[in-house]
Amino acid sequence: MKLNKLVIALTIAGLSACSSTQPVQTPSTTLLETVSAQGDQLVIPYKKYQLANGLTLVVHEDHSDPLVHVDVTYHVGSAREELGKSGFAHFFEHMMFQGSENVADDEHFKIVTEAGGTMNGTTNSDRTNYFETVPVNQLETMLWLEADRMGFLLDAVTQEKFEIQRETVKNERGQRIDNQPYGRLGERVAQALYPEGHPYSWPVIGWMDDLNRVNVNDLKAFFLRWYGPNNATLTVGGDVKAEEVLALVEKYFGSIPAGPEVEPMAKPKVSLDNTRYISMEDNVHLPLVYIAYPTVHLFHEDEAPLDVLMQIIGSGNNSLLYQNLVKSQLAVQAAASHGCSELACQFTLYALPHPAAGKNLADMEAVIRNSLAEFEQRGVTDDDLAKIKAEMLSDAIFGLQSVHGKVAQLANYETLLGNPNYINEQVERYKRVSKEDVMRVYNSYIKGKPSVVMSVVPKGQTQLVAAPDNFTLPKPLEMGPSTTTADDLHVRVAKDDFDRSIRPTPGANPAVAVPEYWQENWANGIEVLGTHNDETPTTSLLLKIRGGNYQQSLDKAGVAGILAAMLTESTQSRSSEQMTRELEKLGSSIRVSAKDEALYVFVNSLSENLPATLALAEEYLFEPAFKQDDFARIQKQRIEGVKNAQKDAGYLASKATRQLMYGNSIAGLPDGGTEQTLASISLDDVKAFYNTWFKPAGGEMILVSSLDKAEVFSAMPKLKAWQGQAPQSAPSIGQAQFEPGVIYLVNKDEAAQSAIRVTKPALPIDITGEFYRTGLMNFPLGGAFNSRINMNLREDKGYTYGAWTGFWGDQYTGTFSASADVRADATQAALAEFYKEISQYAEKGISDEELSFMRLAINQKDALKYETPRAKLGFLAQILEFDLKPSFVKERSAIVDGISQAEINALAAKHLKLDEMLTVVVGDAKALKPELEKLGRKVVEFKL
């Protein structure tokens, strides 16, 4: 398990120990366990039940917010698939949203959205989960929805839906894998690392040849084998009572028949007889070498020490790979990870050589292997162990901040271990790691052991590979068309004593209070807004200082981003590595980033560590060393990042759109600058930007803390004493440089997908005015999953993985944008559908049903707006930036309730004039130009 992505949830009934009851038997359900908070250990309190049909129910009561999170996790992922039938688990994730016996096509999205909720589904190698977070009055409806697709799905799985979702999966693969630099690396490594036929030897999304040859009955058979209640865990958390949840679960899930028995999968040790070298050419800017070692499996006793080893070798700027490759400027990037799944783990290391260093991938491999040897001499320090323990505790406590996080963790532990109460052990096993453990696992799994070495090189540059290929990847199994028929299916039928076609009627929407906050204006011009939040013992702080991308000169675009990066490098007293080490030992984070209008400083800390964390933050901000070597490294990384981004269709579309929309102005350039502007920046330019713009007057600070403001303020003396004022000048935004009606075509050779952007200038942001109303108008057009455009291009036509429209704005400018990444062969047809949908909506406007849907969806979201400290930060930042009163929330609700169909239609006619819009398409220009010309528009090849 990779520590930097580990989400740990616990409940804060005092950071407590647990007690457990004995099982209790009822006629249909067994109460297996009650875990409650006692003492000083970490625990998420819950009750665990098992229904007669084998369904496991876990209920966590959390009364801090009027929300409920429902998660159904099936213990089936790509590892349960058969050779020649890959991708089924992920395919079914899509099919489960396409309606069931009592839920109409695509209605699942509509019901959850109009309830004010969020939802999704995910698939990995080991499990598939579906989840919703909604106001608590919607609990019964969510259980009705999930039960219907568990027990009553198959009759709704038609050949037509099957074909559309097959195209959607292909589009997802195109967008996330085939059209992404290095996108196919992972599946190639898996083919070489695992024996042929191993459950992890094929990708989760599957081989497209497998999906092309199977039929709808194969998919139904897969569902019948794996999606029974006895292979599922239903986890419910939030403002609920366990007994009431149980009654509803027994009603809706109790009659669903169990599926075939499910046995645990074997976890055979993966080993290699020798190091396997493989390579591929790709449409990339920089070559990459990637080394993978097989290790253990998830929750194995050696997983934790391997994670510690991974951090020492290649995580953060104190790691060996960073020091030997990145800081020395031999590589643009280099890192290690230890990814663990239920059956196996991979210890991986990678590097992208810096062009200026003149090194090939063989050189990179040599430095990586020398770094491993260096570890043997270096060993493990006390700081190595201290920082991982601090990180685990910090991650654990921050995991408390959403009911989603807690429920997800309970569900994952129950699914993979059969024990939801693993959170304390998860933290403790990292605390138990010793120096000797780390050295032992290094010797056992890494030192001198064979590995897979993957080289990815730009097309035509095979001379850069680490070594000639000595291993041939096995070809996916070739099979003929499927012959599975409906007669081969063994359908299970549920029998009920109530009518499932009747959708539950939710009670009144729960009242949600706007967070109470305090405000203070400091003498130096910083406005401070804060709120007390004691659900977790944490503090989150956001400091906004005027001096972002808009304040850059055209020829120095990118200087704000370089400054942001340098403000977390070396200080006048300590090196970057020393600063990072101190932060890691606190379990805290400090991030600085450049946005259009400001520099953002974001601080996260356990409240008990806040004084030490803020002392480090003040050292970063007020005592930067501005070392030439730090600057040179960052500058080169940024330039190479821009070059690499030129291979990404989305980046090219954004760059072209900005250039055409805003011309020769700062708004017309990419946020991070261009190769030319970045190369022109000197260290003196960075210092000058800092000295000119990094001033407190006009700054804003937002706090969400378990501490009172006096305690927080006492920990930031330098911030309060800071003085100065930056220049007062508005940026030059520029004017549109495009010809409406023209299609601007940007070339990306052999692109598997095309990026489409249809956009136009629009209003600057406001909170309760016309800009806000345009957002309401846009909602049914492209602002929700089941909007007109997404349903057309994704669900009806299968052209894309997702299509959206929206209005964006800041205080200076705004835009309307419609966007999608579509199948290359569907580019012309997809663009025609964009034009049609935008024109029809502008002409005919919103329907009565859409207006009702929008009102419900927008006004019932309040419960989700203030749940976490991060959400509260965003809400308070909005109040501070626009000088709002808390009543603005009610004003917005009144606008949603009162906006008329006529007003929305007038806004659509005003703001969606197609003949005023810019069209940008990024794809293979040679193939696309003649197709796009069939739309009867002028097509101009646009050079970036």
Side-chain angles (χ1 to χ4, degrees):
M1 185 174 294
K2 289 184 281 189
L3 295 181
N4 58 349
K5 292 189 176 178
L6 182 61
V7 178
I8 298 184
L10 43 140
T11 206
I12 209 101
L15 295 184
S16 43
C18 61
S19 64
S20 176
T21 65
Q22 296 299 312
V24 175
Q25 184 76 42
T26 68
S28 59
T29 300
T30 302
L31 172 61
L32 297 175
E33 189 177 28
T34 298
V35 171
S36 57
Q38 294 178 355
D40 60 357
Q41 290 183 343
L42 307 179
V43 64
I44 308 172
Y46 64 85
K47 289 186 177 180
K48 175 181 170 181
Y49 305 87
Q50 188 169 71
L51 275 63
N53 59 9
L55 177 67
T56 299
L57 169 65
V58 179
V59 183
H60 164 63
E61 297 187 21
D62 174 0
H63 303 290
S64 58
D65 296 284
L67 293 170
V68 64
H69 185 80
V70 176
D71 177 292
V72 181
T73 297
Y74 296 90
H75 198 170
V76 55
S78 59
R80 299 278 191 184
E81 296 160 356
E82 303 172 31
L83 280 173
K85 295 183 179 181
S86 66
F88 275 28
H90 174 258
F91 200 155
F92 238 102
E93 180 202 320
H94 285 253
M95 294 304 300
M96 293 277 270
F97 289 100
Q98 300 308 305
S100 48
E101 185 174 321
N102 302 296
V103 182
D105 298 356
D106 303 308
E107 194 175 16
H108 198 115
F109 288 102
K110 183 175 185 294
I111 290 171
V112 176
T113 303
E114 71 180 4
T118 61
M119 63 178 294
N120 211 334
T122 67
T123 308
N124 63 27
S125 56
D126 306 317
R127 59 100 191 106
T128 306
N129 70 338
Y130 305 89
F131 50 88
E132 304 89 10
T133 306
V134 292
V136 68
N137 63 315
Q138 300 289 337
L139 170 62
E140 185 173 2
T141 302
M142 297 305 107
L143 295 175
W144 171 75
L145 284 170
E146 290 293 355
D148 211 63
R149 60 182 176 185
M150 178 184 286
F152 304 87
L153 181 80
L154 289 190
D155 287 344
V157 177
T158 65
Q159 186 69 35
E160 180 183 9
K161 291 180 185 178
F162 174 81
E163 296 297 345
I164 290 172
Q165 291 310 310
R166 176 151 54 186
E167 291 305 310
T168 302
V169 171
K170 291 179 185 178
N171 287 320
E172 182 178 358
R173 180 183 171 89
Q175 183 173 325
R176 293 185 170 182
I177 298 175
D178 297 332
N179 216 35
Q180 288 295 319
Y182 316 106
R184 289 169 288 170
L185 183 152
E187 63 189 31
R188 298 286 181 97
V189 170
Q191 284 180 279
L193 186 69
Y194 298 110
E196 190 171 1
H198 187 283
Y200 290 170
S201 64
W202 55 82
V204 172
I205 203 167
W207 301 121
M208 292 304 100
D209 285 347
D210 286 351
L211 290 181
N212 284 333
R213 70 171 194 80
V214 300
N215 66 41
V216 69
N217 292 312
D218 290 294
L219 205 66
K220 290 182 178 183
F222 188 80
F223 176 86
L224 289 166
R225 174 65 185 90
W226 299 110
Y227 286 78
N230 53 310
N231 196 35
T233 297
L234 168 60
T235 310
V236 178
D239 193 13
V240 298
K241 294 182 179 178
E243 292 73 18
E244 294 174 0
V245 173
L246 175 60
L248 292 172
V249 170
E250 288 182 322
K251 174 181 178 180
Y252 289 109
F253 290 86
S255 65
I256 300 174
E261 186 176 354
V262 177
E263 296 291 338
M265 297 190 73
K267 300 172 183 176
K269 183 178 179 181
V270 178
S271 61
L272 301 171
D273 52 1
N274 53 52
T275 292
R276 297 174 175 179
Y277 286 91
I278 59 174
S279 65
M280 67 175 286
E281 297 176 67
D282 198 3
N283 188 15
V284 296
H285 167 61
L286 293 173
L288 178 149
V289 64
Y290 188 94
I291 304 174
Y293 293 87
T295 59
V296 289
H297 58 76
L298 189 64
F299 302 121
H300 187 281
E301 62 181 6
D302 286 345
E303 180 195 4
L306 280 161
D307 283 343
V308 178
L309 174 66
M310 174 271 293
Q311 289 209 336
I312 297 169
I313 298 293
S315 179
N317 64 4
N318 282 292
S319 70
L320 294 173
L321 292 185
Y322 185 90
Q323 291 294 312
N324 294 340
L325 284 162
V326 179
K327 186 152 189 176
S328 65
Q329 299 188 45
L330 293 178
V332 174
Q333 291 180 31
S337 66
H338 186 226
C340 274
S341 299
E342 184 177 15
L343 309 181
C345 304
Q346 297 180 28
F347 192 102
T348 61
L349 312 99
Y350 75 90
L352 289 83
H354 198 299
K359 303 295 184 182
N360 59 27
L361 296 185
D363 299 322
M364 294 294 101
E365 182 190 1
V367 177
I368 290 173
R369 295 198 183 279
N370 288 338
S371 298
L372 293 175
E374 182 182 342
F375 165 74
E376 294 187 62
Q377 302 302 316
R378 174 196 183 276
V380 184
T381 69
D382 291 336
D383 277 356
D384 293 330
L385 300 180
K387 75 176 187 179
I388 199 168
K389 293 172 184 177
E391 181 181 348
M392 292 299 296
L393 179 60
S394 179
D395 283 350
I397 294 176
F398 276 100
L400 288 168
Q401 294 181 337
S402 73
V403 66
H404 180 171
K406 288 182 279 187
V407 165
Q409 206 65 25
L410 288 169
N412 191 55
Y413 287 143
E414 171 58 31
T415 300
L416 300 179
L417 290 171
N419 176 21
N421 187 30
Y422 194 75
I423 180 62
N424 186 64
E425 175 57 23
Q426 175 71 343
V427 175
E428 289 298 321
R429 68 193 188 112
Y430 284 86
K431 289 184 179 179
R432 292 194 295 263
V433 173
S434 67
K435 296 177 182 179
E436 292 74 20
D437 288 330
V438 180
M439 297 306 299
R440 174 178 55 78
V441 297
Y442 170 76
N443 289 317
S444 297
Y445 304 102
I446 308 298
K447 182 180 179 180
K449 298 297 187 286
S451 59
V452 171
V453 182
M454 172 78 176
S455 298
V456 182
V457 297
K459 291 185 176 180
Q461 298 186 39
T462 55
Q463 76 279 4
L464 297 178
V465 300
D469 290 12
N470 65 357
F471 180 78
T472 301
L473 297 179
K475 293 182 178 180
L477 190 65
E478 293 185 10
M479 301 174 66
S482 172
T483 58
T484 306
T485 68
D487 293 337
D488 298 318
L489 305 178
H490 302 287
V491 180
R492 304 181 296 273
V493 180
K495 295 181 180 180
D496 293 304
D497 56 4
F498 69 98
D499 187 352
R500 284 185 181 267
S501 68
I502 300 174
R503 175 178 162 184
T505 301
N509 213 41
V512 182
V514 174
E516 294 184 2
Y517 60 86
W518 48 262
Q519 190 164 2
E520 184 169 313
N521 296 325
W522 286 356
N524 62 5
I526 295 179
E527 295 182 81
V528 188
L529 201 64
T531 187
H532 183 75
N533 180 61
D534 58 7
E535 292 178 26
T536 57
T538 60
T539 296
S540 295
L541 178 153
L542 173 62
L543 176 65
K544 296 167 62 177
I545 299 299
R546 187 169 178 267
N549 297 327
Y550 279 167
Q551 281 67 50
Q552 303 170 124
S553 61
L554 273 175
D555 61 332
K556 303 295 182 183
V559 67
I562 292 178
L563 171 61
M566 293 199 71
L567 288 178
T568 52
E569 287 286 344
S570 304
T571 70
Q572 295 171 22
S573 304
R574 286 183 273 196
S575 69
S576 174
E577 291 82 359
Q578 289 171 325
M579 292 290 287
T580 299
R581 187 178 299 114
E582 292 306 310
L583 272 174
E584 289 172 338
K585 287 160 65 176
L586 295 169
S588 302
S589 64
I590 299 171
R591 299 194 301 275
V592 184
S593 59
K595 307 295 184 182
D596 279 347
E597 297 176 82
L599 281 174
Y600 280 47
V601 181
F602 187 69
V603 178
N604 254 351
S605 175
L606 299 181
S607 291
E608 66 179 356
N609 295 335
L610 185 63
T613 302
L614 288 178
L616 293 171
E618 289 183 333
E619 186 173 336
Y620 271 139
L621 299 179
F622 301 127
E623 302 174 36
F626 289 133
K627 291 183 177 180
Q628 179 64 38
D629 57 348
D630 287 340
F631 165 76
R633 170 172 38 82
I634 292 168
Q635 182 187 42
K636 290 177 182 177
Q637 287 174 331
R638 300 257 161 167
I639 291 172
E640 293 305 318
V642 168
K643 289 179 180 178
N644 197 48
Q646 301 286 343
K647 302 295 184 179
D648 179 77
Y651 175 86
L652 294 174
S654 175
K655 183 178 180 181
T657 300
R658 292 182 71 140
Q659 189 171 328
L660 289 161
M661 187 80 73
Y662 299 112
N664 189 33
S665 71
I666 197 65
L669 293 176
D671 288 337
T674 66
E675 293 177 50
Q676 294 73 28
T677 62
L678 285 165
S680 76
I681 297 169
S682 69
L683 180 57
D684 285 340
D685 292 325
V686 177
K687 293 178 181 178
F689 194 85
Y690 173 81
N691 291 329
T692 300
W693 293 104
F694 199 72
K695 305 295 182 185
E700 299 172 353
M701 183 189 298
I702 304 95
L703 288 166
V704 180
S705 180
S706 60
L707 306 173
D708 61 42
K709 69 176 182 179
E711 291 178 280
V712 177
F713 287 173
S714 67
M716 50 178 71
K718 292 181 181 178
L719 275 168
K720 290 201 71 174
W722 186 23
Q723 298 294 318
Q725 182 168 329
Q728 299 297 309
S729 60
S732 173
I733 297 301
Q735 299 295 320
Q737 303 294 309
F738 65 91
E739 180 183 345
V742 170
I743 298 172
Y744 293 87
L745 178 58
V746 179
N747 183 53
K748 182 178 185 290
D749 288 333
E750 301 178 11
Q753 287 194 319
S754 301
I756 294 175
R757 305 291 184 267
V758 181
T759 185
K760 68 182 289 288
L763 297 170
I765 194 170
D766 62 49
I767 300 304
T768 56
E770 186 172 347
F771 174 87
Y772 179 67
R773 288 169 166 81
T774 61
L776 303 179
M777 174 269 288
N778 173 74
F779 192 77
L781 174 64
F785 181 90
N786 52 323
S787 64
R788 293 186 184 189
I789 280 180
N790 193 56
M791 296 303 290
N792 181 340
L793 271 70
R794 172 179 161 137
E795 298 301 303
D796 296 341
K797 306 292 194 309
Y799 292 159
T800 181
Y801 183 55
W804 309 94
T805 65
F807 287 84
W808 167 88
D810 58 31
Q811 61 176 308
Y812 301 108
T813 187
T815 60
F816 164 79
S817 181
S819 64
D821 290 349
V822 304
R823 272 193 354 247
D825 65 345
T827 305
Q828 183 252 18
L831 185 54
E833 293 301 320
F834 265 117
Y835 289 157
K836 182 189 77 173
E837 292 290 358
I838 293 169
S839 297
Q840 287 184 352
Y841 194 64
E843 179 183 349
K844 298 181 180 179
I846 194 171
S847 69
D848 292 337
E849 182 182 357
E850 288 171 332
L851 180 59
S852 174
F853 171 67
M854 181 274 291
R855 285 177 172 156
L856 287 170
I858 299 296
N859 267 351
Q860 296 193 137
K861 285 183 177 179
D862 285 353
L864 280 72
K865 289 178 181 176
Y866 324 123
E867 182 194 10
T868 66
R870 180 176 287 273
K872 290 180 171 72
L873 275 181
F875 173 75
L876 296 176
Q878 193 176 44
I879 288 177
L880 198 54
E881 181 175 356
F882 296 100
D883 193 24
L884 302 174
K885 304 297 182 187
S887 59
F888 91 90
V889 175
K890 292 183 179 179
E891 291 175 36
R892 278 188 159 184
S893 294
I895 291 170
V896 174
D897 289 337
I899 195 168
S900 67
Q901 191 174 43
E903 183 179 357
I904 285 181
N905 292 347
L907 288 167
K910 177 180 178 181
H911 292 284
L912 298 177
K913 294 177 180 177
L914 193 61
D915 60 3
E916 296 178 353
M917 293 187 183
L918 160 69
T919 300
V920 171
V921 177
V922 179
D924 192 328
K926 194 184 306 181
L928 290 179
K929 188 173 182 180
E931 289 298 312
L932 294 173
E933 287 173 338
K934 293 177 183 178
L935 293 172
R937 291 175 174 245
K938 180 180 177 182
V939 180
V940 174
E941 291 195 50
F942 187 66
K943 305 293 185 182
L944 288 173

